[in-house]
mmCIF file of all heavy atoms in Angstrom:
data_model
loop_
_atom_site.group_PDB
_atom_site.id
_atom_site.type_symbol
_atom_site.label_atom_id
_atom_site.label_comp_id
_atom_site.label_asym_id
_atom_site.label_seq_id
_atom_site.Cartn_x
_atom_site.Cartn_y
_atom_site.Cartn_z
ATOM 1 N N THR A 1 1.832 -6.636 -6.694
ATOM 2 C CA THR A 1 3.233 -6.903 -6.976
ATOM 3 C C THR A 1 3.685 -6.176 -8.239
ATOM 4 O O THR A 1 3.016 -6.222 -9.268
ATOM 5 C CB THR A 1 3.459 -8.381 -7.239
ATOM 6 O OG1 THR A 1 2.976 -9.116 -6.118
ATOM 7 C CG2 THR A 1 4.944 -8.703 -7.439
ATOM 8 N N THR A 2 4.712 -5.402 -8.084
ATOM 9 C CA THR A 2 5.295 -4.646 -9.216
ATOM 10 C C THR A 2 6.785 -4.442 -9.066
ATOM 11 O O THR A 2 7.271 -4.353 -7.900
ATOM 12 C CB THR A 2 4.561 -3.265 -9.376
ATOM 13 O OG1 THR A 2 5.182 -2.592 -10.527
ATOM 14 C CG2 THR A 2 4.746 -2.405 -8.159
ATOM 15 N N ALA A 3 7.459 -4.389 -10.136
ATOM 16 C CA ALA A 3 8.967 -4.137 -10.128
ATOM 17 C C ALA A 3 9.273 -2.694 -10.330
ATOM 18 O O ALA A 3 10.375 -2.313 -10.629
ATOM 19 C CB ALA A 3 9.610 -5.001 -11.300
ATOM 20 N N SER A 4 8.262 -1.812 -10.219
ATOM 21 C CA SER A 4 8.500 -0.423 -10.436
ATOM 22 C C SER A 4 7.801 0.403 -9.354
ATOM 23 O O SER A 4 7.519 -0.129 -8.290
ATOM 24 C CB SER A 4 7.933 0.004 -11.810
ATOM 25 O OG SER A 4 8.315 1.307 -12.212
ATOM 26 N N ASP A 5 7.612 1.736 -9.581
ATOM 27 C CA ASP A 5 7.040 2.628 -8.615
ATOM 28 C C ASP A 5 5.543 2.601 -8.503
ATOM 29 O O ASP A 5 4.838 2.266 -9.513
ATOM 30 C CB ASP A 5 7.460 4.045 -8.849
ATOM 31 C CG ASP A 5 9.033 4.201 -8.801
ATOM 32 O OD1 ASP A 5 9.693 3.359 -8.187
ATOM 33 O OD2 ASP A 5 9.582 5.113 -9.396
ATOM 34 N N VAL A 6 5.045 2.972 -7.367
ATOM 35 C CA VAL A 6 3.573 3.171 -7.170
ATOM 36 C C VAL A 6 3.418 4.567 -6.671
ATOM 37 O O VAL A 6 3.954 5.039 -5.655
ATOM 38 C CB VAL A 6 3.030 2.173 -6.156
ATOM 39 C CG1 VAL A 6 1.543 2.433 -5.884
ATOM 40 C CG2 VAL A 6 3.244 0.688 -6.585
ATOM 41 N N ARG A 7 2.471 5.310 -7.354
ATOM 42 C CA ARG A 7 2.308 6.697 -6.969
ATOM 43 C C ARG A 7 1.726 6.898 -5.599
ATOM 44 O O ARG A 7 2.170 7.727 -4.846
ATOM 45 C CB ARG A 7 1.412 7.434 -7.965
ATOM 46 C CG ARG A 7 1.092 8.861 -7.660
ATOM 47 C CD ARG A 7 0.255 9.490 -8.780
ATOM 48 N NE ARG A 7 -0.109 10.926 -8.381
ATOM 49 C CZ ARG A 7 -0.900 11.581 -9.142
ATOM 50 N NH1 ARG A 7 -1.433 11.192 -10.256
ATOM 51 N NH2 ARG A 7 -1.123 12.921 -8.705
ATOM 52 N N GLY A 8 0.706 6.060 -5.244
ATOM 53 C CA GLY A 8 0.130 6.232 -3.937
ATOM 54 C C GLY A 8 -1.077 5.298 -3.730
ATOM 55 O O GLY A 8 -1.668 4.828 -4.736
ATOM 56 N N LEU A 9 -1.455 5.016 -2.527
ATOM 57 C CA LEU A 9 -2.567 4.204 -2.176
ATOM 58 C C LEU A 9 -3.407 4.904 -1.116
ATOM 59 O O LEU A 9 -2.861 5.378 -0.123
ATOM 60 C CB LEU A 9 -2.070 2.811 -1.594
ATOM 61 C CG LEU A 9 -1.219 1.980 -2.488
ATOM 62 C CD1 LEU A 9 -0.105 1.303 -1.821
ATOM 63 C CD2 LEU A 9 -2.112 0.900 -3.131
ATOM 64 N N ARG A 10 -4.698 4.902 -1.384
ATOM 65 C CA ARG A 10 -5.626 5.506 -0.344
ATOM 66 C C ARG A 10 -6.752 4.473 -0.198
ATOM 67 O O ARG A 10 -7.623 4.271 -1.097
ATOM 68 C CB ARG A 10 -6.209 6.819 -0.919
ATOM 69 C CG ARG A 10 -7.069 7.548 0.138
ATOM 70 C CD ARG A 10 -7.450 8.928 -0.355
ATOM 71 N NE ARG A 10 -8.157 9.573 0.684
ATOM 72 C CZ ARG A 10 -8.497 10.934 0.630
ATOM 73 N NH1 ARG A 10 -8.153 11.612 -0.473
ATOM 74 N NH2 ARG A 10 -9.083 11.542 1.561
ATOM 75 N N LEU A 11 -6.711 3.791 0.995
ATOM 76 C CA LEU A 11 -7.558 2.703 1.204
ATOM 77 C C LEU A 11 -8.420 2.832 2.419
ATOM 78 O O LEU A 11 -8.120 3.687 3.205
ATOM 79 C CB LEU A 11 -6.688 1.377 1.409
ATOM 80 C CG LEU A 11 -5.617 1.079 0.363
ATOM 81 C CD1 LEU A 11 -4.768 -0.097 0.743
ATOM 82 C CD2 LEU A 11 -6.232 0.960 -1.019
ATOM 83 N N GLY A 12 -9.482 2.075 2.488
ATOM 84 C CA GLY A 12 -10.367 2.107 3.670
ATOM 85 C C GLY A 12 -9.853 1.224 4.822
ATOM 86 O O GLY A 12 -8.704 1.408 5.209
ATOM 87 N N GLN A 13 -10.631 0.437 5.289
ATOM 88 C CA GLN A 13 -10.271 -0.503 6.395
ATOM 89 C C GLN A 13 -9.568 -1.738 5.783
ATOM 90 O O GLN A 13 -10.224 -2.511 5.111
ATOM 91 C CB GLN A 13 -11.453 -0.924 7.189
ATOM 92 C CG GLN A 13 -12.189 0.250 7.801
ATOM 93 C CD GLN A 13 -11.449 1.077 8.808
ATOM 94 O OE1 GLN A 13 -10.627 0.495 9.570
ATOM 95 N NE2 GLN A 13 -11.482 2.397 8.742
ATOM 96 N N VAL A 14 -8.269 -1.920 5.954
ATOM 97 C CA VAL A 14 -7.511 -2.977 5.335
ATOM 98 C C VAL A 14 -7.576 -4.193 6.364
ATOM 99 O O VAL A 14 -6.985 -4.058 7.455
ATOM 100 C CB VAL A 14 -6.061 -2.628 5.037
ATOM 101 C CG1 VAL A 14 -5.304 -3.817 4.533
ATOM 102 C CG2 VAL A 14 -6.024 -1.429 4.105
ATOM 103 N N ILE A 15 -8.213 -5.232 6.011
ATOM 104 C CA ILE A 15 -8.186 -6.446 6.720
ATOM 105 C C ILE A 15 -6.951 -7.239 6.503
ATOM 106 O O ILE A 15 -6.198 -7.570 7.497
ATOM 107 C CB ILE A 15 -9.421 -7.313 6.432
ATOM 108 C CG1 ILE A 15 -10.726 -6.532 6.840
ATOM 109 C CG2 ILE A 15 -9.345 -8.638 7.275
ATOM 110 C CD1 ILE A 15 -12.019 -7.200 6.384
ATOM 111 N N SER A 16 -6.555 -7.459 5.258
ATOM 112 C CA SER A 16 -5.338 -8.132 4.947
ATOM 113 C C SER A 16 -4.934 -7.685 3.533
ATOM 114 O O SER A 16 -5.776 -7.816 2.588
ATOM 115 C CB SER A 16 -5.514 -9.619 4.964
ATOM 116 O OG SER A 16 -4.267 -10.292 4.632
ATOM 117 N N ALA A 17 -3.719 -7.208 3.321
ATOM 118 C CA ALA A 17 -3.138 -6.855 2.045
ATOM 119 C C ALA A 17 -1.680 -6.980 2.027
ATOM 120 O O ALA A 17 -1.025 -6.705 3.024
ATOM 121 C CB ALA A 17 -3.645 -5.428 1.679
ATOM 122 N N ASP A 18 -1.066 -7.320 0.970
ATOM 123 C CA ASP A 18 0.320 -7.494 0.746
ATOM 124 C C ASP A 18 0.799 -6.645 -0.394
ATOM 125 O O ASP A 18 0.244 -6.669 -1.439
ATOM 126 C CB ASP A 18 0.747 -8.915 0.451
ATOM 127 C CG ASP A 18 0.518 -9.895 1.687
ATOM 128 O OD1 ASP A 18 0.677 -9.366 2.816
ATOM 129 O OD2 ASP A 18 0.177 -11.047 1.388
ATOM 130 N N LEU A 19 1.812 -5.799 -0.111
ATOM 131 C CA LEU A 19 2.408 -4.961 -1.177
ATOM 132 C C LEU A 19 3.911 -5.366 -1.373
ATOM 133 O O LEU A 19 4.673 -5.442 -0.424
ATOM 134 C CB LEU A 19 2.365 -3.404 -0.765
ATOM 135 C CG LEU A 19 1.016 -2.848 -0.331
ATOM 136 C CD1 LEU A 19 1.240 -1.340 -0.032
ATOM 137 C CD2 LEU A 19 0.013 -2.993 -1.510
ATOM 138 N N ASP A 20 4.171 -5.807 -2.598
ATOM 139 C CA ASP A 20 5.508 -6.254 -2.907
ATOM 140 C C ASP A 20 6.018 -5.302 -4.062
ATOM 141 O O ASP A 20 5.805 -5.634 -5.202
ATOM 142 C CB ASP A 20 5.613 -7.716 -3.311
ATOM 143 C CG ASP A 20 7.023 -8.150 -3.505
ATOM 144 O OD1 ASP A 20 7.936 -7.362 -3.281
ATOM 145 O OD2 ASP A 20 7.170 -9.349 -3.789
ATOM 146 N N VAL A 21 6.669 -4.212 -3.665
ATOM 147 C CA VAL A 21 7.027 -3.152 -4.683
ATOM 148 C C VAL A 21 8.546 -2.990 -4.748
ATOM 149 O O VAL A 21 9.170 -2.565 -3.757
ATOM 150 C CB VAL A 21 6.379 -1.817 -4.277
ATOM 151 C CG1 VAL A 21 6.745 -0.727 -5.272
ATOM 152 C CG2 VAL A 21 4.840 -1.912 -4.239
ATOM 153 N N ASN A 22 9.071 -3.354 -5.857
ATOM 154 C CA ASN A 22 10.486 -3.224 -6.056
ATOM 155 C C ASN A 22 10.746 -1.811 -6.602
ATOM 156 O O ASN A 22 11.244 -1.628 -7.699
ATOM 157 C CB ASN A 22 11.119 -4.307 -6.979
ATOM 158 C CG ASN A 22 12.580 -4.286 -7.089
ATOM 159 O OD1 ASN A 22 13.220 -3.692 -6.186
ATOM 160 N ND2 ASN A 22 13.169 -4.886 -8.089
ATOM 161 N N GLY A 23 10.372 -0.788 -5.842
ATOM 162 C CA GLY A 23 10.533 0.588 -6.230
ATOM 163 C C GLY A 23 10.033 1.476 -5.121
ATOM 164 O O GLY A 23 10.034 1.100 -3.937
ATOM 165 N N HIS A 24 9.519 2.657 -5.470
ATOM 166 C CA HIS A 24 9.089 3.662 -4.423
ATOM 167 C C HIS A 24 7.641 3.752 -4.381
ATOM 168 O O HIS A 24 6.942 3.699 -5.471
ATOM 169 C CB HIS A 24 9.675 5.001 -4.870
ATOM 170 C CG HIS A 24 9.258 6.139 -3.991
ATOM 171 N ND1 HIS A 24 9.615 6.302 -2.638
ATOM 172 C CD2 HIS A 24 8.323 7.204 -4.242
ATOM 173 C CE1 HIS A 24 9.043 7.405 -2.163
ATOM 174 N NE2 HIS A 24 8.202 7.893 -3.055
ATOM 175 N N ILE A 25 7.095 3.820 -3.172
ATOM 176 C CA ILE A 25 5.640 4.086 -2.984
ATOM 177 C C ILE A 25 5.523 5.536 -2.443
ATOM 178 O O ILE A 25 6.136 5.840 -1.455
ATOM 179 C CB ILE A 25 5.032 3.081 -2.014
ATOM 180 C CG1 ILE A 25 5.149 1.664 -2.433
ATOM 181 C CG2 ILE A 25 3.446 3.437 -1.847
ATOM 182 C CD1 ILE A 25 4.601 0.656 -1.457
ATOM 183 N N GLY A 26 4.807 6.336 -3.182
ATOM 184 C CA GLY A 26 4.705 7.767 -2.810
ATOM 185 C C GLY A 26 4.059 8.007 -1.509
ATOM 186 O O GLY A 26 4.603 8.595 -0.539
ATOM 187 N N ARG A 27 2.870 7.402 -1.282
ATOM 188 C CA ARG A 27 2.084 7.640 -0.082
ATOM 189 C C ARG A 27 1.127 6.508 0.203
ATOM 190 O O ARG A 27 0.504 6.033 -0.741
ATOM 191 C CB ARG A 27 1.270 8.963 -0.156
ATOM 192 C CG ARG A 27 0.344 9.296 0.994
ATOM 193 C CD ARG A 27 -0.451 10.522 0.760
ATOM 194 N NE ARG A 27 0.442 11.704 0.692
ATOM 195 C CZ ARG A 27 0.044 12.964 0.446
ATOM 196 N NH1 ARG A 27 -1.294 13.159 0.278
ATOM 197 N NH2 ARG A 27 0.921 13.991 0.375
ATOM 198 N N ILE A 28 1.032 6.073 1.435
ATOM 199 C CA ILE A 28 0.127 5.043 1.845
ATOM 200 C C ILE A 28 -0.842 5.590 2.854
ATOM 201 O O ILE A 28 -0.427 6.106 3.914
ATOM 202 C CB ILE A 28 0.787 3.798 2.374
ATOM 203 C CG1 ILE A 28 1.808 3.160 1.379
ATOM 204 C CG2 ILE A 28 -0.239 2.781 2.874
ATOM 205 C CD1 ILE A 28 2.602 2.061 1.928
ATOM 206 N N GLN A 29 -2.077 5.567 2.544
ATOM 207 C CA GLN A 29 -3.127 6.053 3.539
ATOM 208 C C GLN A 29 -4.221 4.942 3.751
ATOM 209 O O GLN A 29 -4.641 4.346 2.780
ATOM 210 C CB GLN A 29 -3.849 7.271 3.033
ATOM 211 C CG GLN A 29 -2.932 8.521 2.952
ATOM 212 C CD GLN A 29 -3.712 9.708 2.434
ATOM 213 O OE1 GLN A 29 -4.001 9.772 1.152
ATOM 214 N NE2 GLN A 29 -3.997 10.659 3.278
ATOM 215 N N ALA A 30 -4.509 4.678 4.970
ATOM 216 C CA ALA A 30 -5.575 3.703 5.257
ATOM 217 C C ALA A 30 -6.305 3.998 6.552
ATOM 218 O O ALA A 30 -5.707 4.690 7.455
ATOM 219 C CB ALA A 30 -5.015 2.314 5.326
ATOM 220 N N GLY A 31 -7.560 3.528 6.717
ATOM 221 C CA GLY A 31 -8.203 3.706 8.005
ATOM 222 C C GLY A 31 -7.498 2.862 9.132
ATOM 223 O O GLY A 31 -7.348 3.304 10.213
ATOM 224 N N ARG A 32 -7.203 1.646 8.731
ATOM 225 C CA ARG A 32 -6.423 0.743 9.600
ATOM 226 C C ARG A 32 -5.765 -0.270 8.690
ATOM 227 O O ARG A 32 -6.160 -0.456 7.501
ATOM 228 C CB ARG A 32 -7.320 0.045 10.645
ATOM 229 C CG ARG A 32 -8.372 -0.877 9.961
ATOM 230 C CD ARG A 32 -9.331 -1.459 11.029
ATOM 231 N NE ARG A 32 -8.606 -2.393 11.868
ATOM 232 C CZ ARG A 32 -8.465 -3.738 11.574
ATOM 233 N NH1 ARG A 32 -8.921 -4.210 10.462
ATOM 234 N NH2 ARG A 32 -7.899 -4.498 12.393
ATOM 235 N N TRP A 33 -4.788 -1.035 9.247
ATOM 236 C CA TRP A 33 -4.149 -2.117 8.452
ATOM 237 C C TRP A 33 -3.994 -3.281 9.375
ATOM 238 O O TRP A 33 -3.081 -3.314 10.241
ATOM 239 C CB TRP A 33 -2.814 -1.643 7.925
ATOM 240 C CG TRP A 33 -2.307 -2.416 6.775
ATOM 241 C CD1 TRP A 33 -1.946 -3.764 6.754
ATOM 242 C CD2 TRP A 33 -2.030 -1.933 5.413
ATOM 243 N NE1 TRP A 33 -1.569 -4.132 5.482
ATOM 244 C CE2 TRP A 33 -1.613 -2.978 4.660
ATOM 245 C CE3 TRP A 33 -2.198 -0.643 4.870
ATOM 246 C CZ2 TRP A 33 -1.313 -2.879 3.291
ATOM 247 C CZ3 TRP A 33 -1.848 -0.555 3.486
ATOM 248 C CH2 TRP A 33 -1.395 -1.568 2.764
ATOM 249 N N GLY A 34 -4.892 -4.279 9.306
ATOM 250 C CA GLY A 34 -4.960 -5.350 10.175
ATOM 251 C C GLY A 34 -3.883 -6.413 9.994
ATOM 252 O O GLY A 34 -3.251 -6.844 11.032
ATOM 253 N N ALA A 35 -3.587 -6.836 8.772
ATOM 254 C CA ALA A 35 -2.611 -7.892 8.567
ATOM 255 C C ALA A 35 -2.060 -7.797 7.187
ATOM 256 O O ALA A 35 -2.656 -7.155 6.314
ATOM 257 C CB ALA A 35 -3.275 -9.255 8.778
ATOM 258 N N GLY A 36 -0.893 -8.422 7.011
ATOM 259 C CA GLY A 36 -0.277 -8.373 5.689
ATOM 260 C C GLY A 36 1.137 -7.906 5.709
ATOM 261 O O GLY A 36 1.787 -8.000 6.749
ATOM 262 N N LEU A 37 1.716 -7.412 4.612
ATOM 263 C CA LEU A 37 2.972 -6.980 4.461
ATOM 264 C C LEU A 37 3.162 -5.799 3.581
ATOM 265 O O LEU A 37 2.562 -5.655 2.525
ATOM 266 C CB LEU A 37 3.866 -8.205 3.981
ATOM 267 C CG LEU A 37 5.341 -7.896 3.591
ATOM 268 C CD1 LEU A 37 6.162 -7.669 4.872
ATOM 269 C CD2 LEU A 37 5.920 -8.985 2.759
#
């Protein structure tokens, strides 16, 4: 959770994850994203 920007995320196998970003996310990379927001 952040009220600003996120440069980027490089993740493996996402089972469950929530991103609450009140700003810009540069790039999201993951092997898979099973659940979350």
Side-chain angles (χ1 to χ4, degrees):
T1 303
T2 180
S4 190
D5 298 336
V6 177
R7 180 179 177 184
L9 298 140
R10 187 170 185 173
L11 310 175
Q13 304 295 320
V14 179
I15 298 173
S16 177
D18 293 327
L19 307 180
D20 186 0
V21 178
N22 189 17
H24 174 72
I25 303 176
R27 177 182 296 179
I28 299 173
Q29 294 178 287
R32 64 183 292 271
W33 202 297
L37 173 70

